[in-house]
Amino acid sequence: MQVTPELLSAFPSLKPLPAATLARLAQESLVRKFARRGVVLTAGVREEFVCFLFEGRLQGVDFTIDGREVGLYFVEPGDFCGELGMFDHGPQPEFVIALTAVVTVFVPMESLRQVTFEHPMLLKLLGERLAARVRQLTRQRSLLGLPNISQRVCCQLWMLVPEDARQNLNASVINNPPTHMEIAIMLNLSRETVSRVFQILQTRQIVRRDGTSLLHVSDTPTLKRLAEGSEEL
Amino acid sequence: MQVTPELLSAFPSLKPLPAATLARLAQESLVRKFARRGVVLTAGVREEFVCFLFEGRLQGVDFTIDGREVGLYFVEPGDFCGELGMFDHGPQPEFVIALTAVVTVFVPMESLRQVTFEHPMLLKLLGERLAARVRQLTRQRSLLGLPNISQRVCCQLWMLVPEDARQNLNASVINNPPTHMEIAIMLNLSRETVSRVFQILQTRQIVRRDGTSLLHVSDTPTLKRLAEGSEEL
DNA sequence: CTGGCTAAGTGACCACAATCACATAATAGC
DNA sequence: GCTATTATGTGATTGTGGTCACTTAGCCAG
């Protein structure tokens, strides 16, 4: 499918680039759609594209030696993944799976590398992005240190709450929330345990499910306190 | 203490730089020694130095909301840490603690930034290094997914075994091995549990302690099988 | 040599999350 | 619509690692 420069400029990391550059990148990029559960990036392979997420939600996952699934991070629309090879030409370290039907734009790494020569600004952006990834992985690792299981779930949920709702503590909606299983592998928990925590959260009217693609966060202040551990579930 | 260009060129990441550049960097750098348990880098602070490790072993640690210690990574001699701010000017995300008495070289970030303009090669190196950090964090995260506790410990031990011994499966020595506690926080385990696993490893003559600063790995092939899960402890 | 301190070893106990085994929704596909 | 499939809810059971409470060993300073 055809990629327009306008589509590319929808991504904050590409937006600052001049129109001409975007036009060139657009020509070499391709829109790829994946169904739920589709494998967007494969671990161990030298992917030659950076994957920009336009719509839906992705999850980076790895597998332990004994085949157990491990959740690493979520990717939200506007963000991208698979950029590690930009820096070291190494293989993609983890799988990236579509949690919902997704629309992505694949931009060839080699073209992006070209652009970084002409526009160091992009290089800077990529560096900042990678740094952000390290910070995120670190935060997620700390989460796993929490001995209290419901706090762990609430923290993870908290990170999915939209930015402005986290600030103003107003009610909000999480779009395409991960399934219990997908949350479980992020937190080293069993699916059942996550289910039980959600059960309590729903009974206490802190969150409310609305179909499969919406999760209402009604009582944001309480969720915050639960995530911070100042209140027990 | 005075830093010589020769000292700087002992670090693989700086070695390729021209002598003149190294001389300038050396002038602005400082040697800092820390005792065991010394705080080398502080979380939340905008550290204005990249810390190169000359001798000893460092550990990146974070704390959960409820004050529990979490181990993130080890730093070996020749490597460096605290470079995240080079990319995004953000604060240091985690603490870095000296596990042994250490000798470090602190190079001012601003000087390093200057050098990256003149020598894009350094920029490339830093990028590769950051990518390596992401790969390492990812691997460590997968480790935590292992349901079998002794396998987790053996995997971690395996990563501490010198490169060539891992290749050739010959006996080797781990210098300044982390304490049980330090391993425990890396693996989300209690100190006692790590102690019990080591007890079995020693009884089965797979490893042998030799004072506080040496750990002999006698049966490398078995350790490898234990780490891979093809053998149970 | 002798305290003092930190690291490591070990048993007893038990809370708690994993697992198993289902039931029941809720979707998606036809 | 109806069926197949995936997601979720829930009880019963149990294994396992955490915690506690010590002891023992090793190391360093004076």
Side-chain angles (χ1 to χ4, degrees):
Chain A
M1 211 179 118
Q2 192 59 40
V3 179
T4 63
E6 290 70 40
L7 183 60
L8 286 187
S9 72
F11 297 101
S13 355
L14 299 178
K15 197 178 168 64
L17 293 174
T21 310
L22 281 181
R24 210 181 66 222
L25 276 181
Q27 283 220 315
E28 295 162 333
S29 304
L30 39 146
V31 172
R32 292 189 61 187
K33 300 182 182 192
F34 294 86
R36 184 171 160 68
R37 298 257 163 279
V39 178
V40 178
L41 296 174
T42 309
V45 171
R46 263 191 56 181
E47 301 276 357
E48 289 301 330
F49 295 90
V50 175
C51 167
F52 288 78
L53 177 62
F54 191 67
E55 220 180 282
R57 192 193 301 273
L58 303 174
Q59 182 175 37
V61 299
D62 199 356
F63 292 87
T64 60
I65 308 168
D66 64 334
R68 187 169 296 243
E69 210 177 359
V70 173
L72 297 168
Y73 55 84
F74 294 122
V75 183
E76 312 281 334
D79 212 342
F80 55 89
C81 58
E83 79 283 18
L84 222 55
M86 284 285 294
F87 292 89
D88 64 0
H89 293 260
Q92 172 66 16
E94 75 276 342
F95 290 90
V96 175
I97 308 286
L99 296 189
T100 65
V102 296
V103 182
T104 64
V105 180
F106 273 58
V107 183
M109 256 184 210
E110 207 37 54
S111 315
L112 268 182
R113 275 202 203 93
Q114 289 297 326
V115 176
T116 60
F117 295 138
E118 302 154 28
H119 304 280
M121 181 266 309
L122 180 61
L123 197 58
K124 190 162 167 297
L125 260 163
L126 280 170
E128 286 168 9
R129 188 49 193 46
L130 197 53
R133 167 68 48 91
V134 171
R135 291 176 194 281
Q136 185 204 24
L137 283 170
T138 301
R139 209 168 42 243
Q140 187 72 31
R141 170 64 186 87
S142 298
L143 242 188
L144 294 181
L146 286 173
N148 184 322
I149 255 60
S150 19
Q151 192 182 356
R152 225 143 90 192
V153 176
C154 291
C155 267
Q156 185 76 67
L157 208 48
W158 185 245
M159 303 203 298
L160 291 166
V161 169
E163 183 66 23
D164 76 306
R166 263 184 314 203
Q167 294 280 316
N168 312 323
L169 301 181
N170 49 339
S172 59
V173 180
I174 297 173
N175 274 298
N176 296 317
T179 67
H180 293 177
M181 189 61 197
E182 285 147 8
I183 293 175
I185 61 167
M186 294 284 289
L187 300 175
N188 261 10
L189 294 175
S190 71
R191 202 252 322 150
E192 290 91 330
T193 301
V194 175
S195 190
R196 286 185 240 265
V197 173
F198 264 85
Q199 215 45 31
I200 303 175
L201 286 176
Q202 268 153 208
T203 311
R204 291 195 40 188
Q205 316 216 8
I206 296 165
V207 303
R208 182 169 52 84
R209 298 195 61 214
D210 180 1
T212 196
S213 62
L214 290 177
L215 183 75
H216 294 267
V217 180
S218 324
D219 190 349
T220 314
T222 303
L223 183 61
K224 188 183 182 197
R225 283 197 305 278
L226 291 169
E228 287 169 346
S230 56
E231 186 173 333
E232 284 271 324
L233 202 58
Chain B
M1 211 178 117
Q2 193 58 42
V3 179
T4 64
E6 289 72 39
L7 183 60
L8 286 187
S9 71
F11 297 101
S13 353
L14 299 179
K15 198 180 168 61
L17 293 174
T21 310
L22 281 181
R24 210 180 67 222
L25 276 181
Q27 284 220 314
E28 293 162 333
S29 305
L30 36 146
V31 172
R32 290 190 62 187
K33 300 184 181 189
F34 294 86
R36 183 173 160 68
R37 298 256 163 278
V39 178
V40 178
L41 296 174
T42 308
V45 171
R46 260 191 58 182
E47 300 276 358
E48 289 301 331
F49 295 90
V50 175
C51 168
F52 288 78
L53 178 61
F54 192 66
E55 218 179 282
R57 193 194 302 273
L58 303 174
Q59 183 176 36
V61 299
D62 199 356
F63 292 88
T64 59
I65 308 168
D66 65 333
R68 188 168 295 242
E69 211 178 356
V70 173
L72 297 167
Y73 54 85
F74 293 123
V75 183
E76 310 284 334
D79 212 341
F80 56 89
C81 59
E83 81 282 16
L84 220 55
M86 284 285 293
F87 292 89
D88 64 0
H89 292 261
Q92 172 66 17
E94 74 277 340
F95 290 91
V96 175
I97 309 285
L99 295 188
T100 66
V102 296
V103 182
T104 64
V105 180
F106 273 58
V107 183
M109 256 185 210
E110 206 37 54
S111 315
L112 269 181
R113 276 202 203 92
Q114 288 297 326
V115 175
T116 59
F117 294 138
E118 303 155 26
H119 304 279
M121 181 265 311
L122 180 62
L123 198 58
K124 191 163 165 294
L125 260 162
L126 280 171
E128 286 169 9
R129 186 51 192 45
L130 197 53
R133 167 67 50 90
V134 172
R135 290 177 196 280
Q136 184 204 24
L137 283 170
T138 301
R139 209 170 40 244
Q140 187 73 30
R141 170 65 187 86
S142 298
L143 243 188
L144 294 181
L146 287 173
N148 183 323
I149 256 60
S150 20
Q151 193 182 357
R152 224 140 94 192
V153 176
C154 291
C155 266
Q156 184 75 67
L157 209 47
W158 184 245
M159 302 203 300
L160 291 167
V161 170
E163 184 66 26
D164 75 306
R166 263 184 313 201
Q167 294 281 317
N168 313 322
L169 299 182
N170 49 339
S172 60
V173 180
I174 297 173
N175 274 298
N176 296 318
T179 66
H180 293 177
M181 189 61 199
E182 285 148 8
I183 294 175
I185 60 168
M186 293 285 290
L187 300 175
N188 259 12
L189 294 175
S190 72
R191 202 250 324 149
E192 291 90 332
T193 302
V194 175
S195 192
R196 287 184 240 265
V197 173
F198 265 83
Q199 216 43 33
I200 303 175
L201 287 176
Q202 268 154 208
T203 311
R204 290 194 42 187
Q205 314 217 9
I206 295 164
V207 303
R208 180 168 53 82
R209 298 193 60 214
D210 179 2
T212 194
S213 62
L214 290 177
L215 185 75
H216 294 266
V217 180
S218 324
D219 190 349
T220 314
T222 304
L223 183 62
K224 188 180 184 199
R225 283 198 305 277
L226 290 169
E228 286 170 348
S230 56
E231 185 175 333
E232 283 270 327
L233 201 59

